[in-house]
Amino acid sequence: MTANTTASTAAPSAPAPRILIVYTGGTIGMTEDLATGALVPFSFDHLMKNVPKIGRLGYELDHVELDPPIDSSNMSPAVWAQVAKMIADAYDDFDGFVVLHGTDTMAYTASALSFMLPNVAKPVILTGSQLPIGEIREDGTENLITALQIAAARTADGAPMVQEVAISFGRHLWRGNRSTKVSSTNFGAFRSFNYPPLANMDLHIDFHERLLLRPAPGKAFAPAYAMEGAVAVAFLYPGVTEAVLRPQLEAPGVKGLVLRTFGAGNAPTEQWFTDLGGETV
Ligand code: ASP
């Protein structure tokens, strides 16, 4: 049975939670260019003006942003390092971090940040939206407010409730490196197939404390930004041929290949396939 904890707001005498918002781009910050009808990123100030109720939270907020903000399809290991560094550089000055990000590659970024920020002892909460803040009907405002509340939440003894990288979206908080985008239209766009939600956000924010990660005792927060980009990913599907896979293995500079296999890790047993691995690995 999971012990649930409803998010506590800070006691009146406690200092206001200090949260850094890292704005990277994505639909949550888009607005319609009235001349062309295209969605273009708008400035962080514009974003804040469209969500005036943020002021009612009583938090101390600051922000940093990518310049220019990007569609998350343009995310890369170099930009992950930039975002991780923004968080690490401000780590001592804030109680928590909210990263506004496009949904398309948010799960990749959450995963990358979890490895770039090992032993993080403060919340790093990614969120975004399916519809831009400022639209008449949208999910961005609630997602932003909820992410801020999660980043500010404390345990009964005053420690940060979340001490890991997580995705807050719709009605659930997910472990960052277990999450997958599952829908381009549903307001519950993310899911983890191999770990339960860390919190349910309904009338209250109910944290499942037993499921939350805690940094290993004695291990210091140790940001590391290097990530190998020369890794190819090959999908296996019924009928995949040597002509499709070999060029990926032999592409210049590729140092490794991740095979996306069937079921629990099964792959064809035909000789051309097993020889392919034997020759190159
Ligand atoms: N294309 C957008 C992005 O990932 C989609 C979104 O934010 O939902 O940046």
Side-chain angles (χ1 to χ4, degrees):
M1 187 66 193
T2 302
N4 292 350
T5 314
T6 298
S8 61
T9 42
S13 55
R18 289 160 303 162
I19 312 290
L20 182 69
I21 298 176
V22 180
Y23 176 46
T24 69
T27 294
I28 194 164
M30 302 298 265
T31 189
E32 192 177 336
D33 179 329
L34 293 177
T36 63
L39 286 177
V40 290
F42 63 44
S43 73
F44 184 83
D45 289 341
H46 194 155
L47 183 72
M48 299 309 271
K49 265 186 221 132
N50 275 277
V51 193
K53 64 181 170 182
I54 279 188
R56 286 168 47 202
L57 290 170
Y59 301 166
E60 260 180 48
L61 299 178
D62 203 346
H63 81 277
V64 285
E65 60 189 79
L66 293 182
D67 183 20
I70 59 171
D71 185 284
S72 78
S73 311
N74 291 320
M75 203 34 93
S76 65
V79 186
W80 289 333
Q82 227 182 310
V83 173
K85 203 162 183 316
M86 285 170 169
I87 294 168
D89 288 350
Y91 190 72
D92 293 335
D93 299 326
F94 291 89
D95 299 311
F97 303 87
V98 168
V99 180
L100 301 183
H101 197 289
T103 60
D104 289 343
T105 66
M106 188 186 297
Y108 291 87
T109 298
S111 195
L113 290 181
S114 77
F115 290 101
M116 287 182 166
L117 303 171
N119 304 313
V120 69
K122 296 183 179 184
V124 176
I125 311 297
L126 285 86
T127 198
S129 64
Q130 296 284 34
L131 287 168
I133 283 178
E135 294 283 301
I136 294 175
R137 190 173 155 272
E138 43 91 358
D139 56 333
T141 299
E142 289 316 308
N143 284 351
L144 171 56
I145 300 270
T146 305
L148 288 168
Q149 289 185 312
I150 289 169
R154 302 252 138 200
T155 61
D157 54 10
M161 177 65 80
V162 178
Q163 302 184 35
E164 59 179 292
V165 180
I167 289 183
S168 166
F169 210 94
R171 296 176 46 231
H172 296 104
L173 182 71
W174 302 107
R175 172 147 304 151
N177 54 24
R178 302 285 187 109
S179 305
T180 306
K181 181 174 174 181
V182 291
S183 173
S184 299
T185 53
N186 198 299
F187 282 167
F190 289 87
R191 196 164 159 207
S192 155
F193 291 97
N194 53 14
Y195 203 75
L198 305 177
N200 289 66
M201 290 89 85
D202 293 303
L203 192 62
H204 302 289
I205 300 177
D206 289 323
F207 291 98
H208 308 304
E209 271 197 77
R210 199 176 53 86
L211 300 174
L212 289 165
L213 195 67
R214 295 292 177 240
K219 296 246 175 152
F221 174 54
Y225 310 111
M227 202 163 264
E228 180 58 71
V231 178
V233 181
F235 270 87
L236 297 187
Y237 52 88
V240 67
T241 60
E242 181 174 2
V244 168
L245 285 186
R246 185 174 288 281
Q248 295 180 61
L249 271 172
E250 293 177 353
V254 166
K255 296 183 186 162
L257 183 78
V258 176
L259 278 181
R260 298 196 65 168
T261 55
F262 305 122
N266 300 315
T269 50
E270 289 162 65
Q271 193 160 355
W272 70 262
F273 181 79
T274 47
D275 282 356
L276 201 62
E279 287 162 22
T280 49
V281 176

